[in-house]
Amino acid sequence: MTGLRVRRGGGSAPVVLLLHGLGATSEVWDGVVDALGDRAWVAPDLPGHGGSDPLPHYTFPAVAAAVADLVDPAGTVVVGHSFGGVVALHLASRPGLRAVVGLGIKVAWTDDELARAAKVAAREPVRFDTRAEAVARHLRVAGLDGLVGPDQPAAAAGVVEEGGRWRPTLDPRAFGVGEPGVAALLAAAPVPVVLARGEHDLMVSSADLLALAPNSVDLPGLGHNAHVESPAAVAALIPA
């Protein structure tokens, strides 16, 4: 866990480990945390995001290894959004892991989409003269534009000042993780897995999820960041 910014709270077991999506920070889970009541929770900034250090090289197994010690062997349910959902599936065999909830995972990738992601991963971080510009870029990349205000914690945690200029905290190299291989991860998972999506999520279709998991869930009226739009609806998916 060296170099990770980790937030914790609550008290009653089992622990809920919350893993955000690409470009976001742990603050996107604040509404879900409130909905959990006194349930114990742990929410890291994933490597190369927010206040956490970058990795030398990004793969889904490497990101999972960086947060693996946050799984409480006495009992943990892991909830991951999008990029974080794939990381959650990589943790499925950790001792103490009881269940996985994957929200908004993009399970079908074309060669063109993977090539575009690799191209983004090769770019240098973009720097801006003002904090407002950096915040706007952060919210757009994280898919939070229109859902999170520029002065809210989920916006503030996603930018940093360096040498008088501002940039999103996201390490662009994280875009280079490659095809997630969700079908194989589901087949290997030794614990119950629930896949869910917002009804209006453009990243993954209902048909995509049903092809992999007949018990997948559509959350009515919500989009890709369903946990931000309706924290209670997502919290209801988390097993006791």
Side-chain angles (χ1 to χ4, degrees), residues 103-104 196-206 217-226 229:
L103 175 67
R197 63 181 288 274
E199 177 188 12
H200 303 302
D201 191 342
L202 300 180
M203 299 286 287
V204 55
S205 71
S206 180
V217 178
D218 264 25
L219 299 173
L222 303 179
H224 185 59
N225 279 279
E229 297 174 67

Side-chain angles (χ1 to χ4, degrees), residues 66-188:
V67 300
D69 286 345
L70 296 176
V71 176
D72 186 340
T76 301
V77 175
V78 60
V79 182
H81 173 241
S82 197
F83 177 98
V86 181
V87 177
L89 290 171
H90 277 275
L91 297 172
S93 61
R94 291 286 296 182
L97 210 294
R98 297 187 182 181
V100 174
V101 178
L103 175 67
I105 300 174
K106 180 173 171 57
V107 299
W109 288 79
T110 66
D111 290 342
D112 283 347
E113 288 171 333
L114 291 169
R116 286 198 296 271
K119 187 174 181 180
V120 173
R123 295 174 183 166
E124 288 295 315
V126 180
R127 291 171 171 81
F128 299 92
D129 291 332
T130 67
R131 177 186 179 277
E133 290 173 294
V135 166
R137 172 62 67 90
H138 161 61
L139 294 177
R140 187 163 60 252
V141 171
L144 299 171
D145 205 10
L147 299 176
V148 171
D151 294 320
Q152 289 183 252
V159 298
V160 65
E161 184 181 10
E162 291 178 342
R165 303 192 78 199
W166 293 84
R167 67 167 177 84
T169 57
L170 170 64
D171 183 349
R173 295 178 302 135
F175 277 92
V177 287
E179 207 281 327
V182 174
L185 291 169
L186 289 172

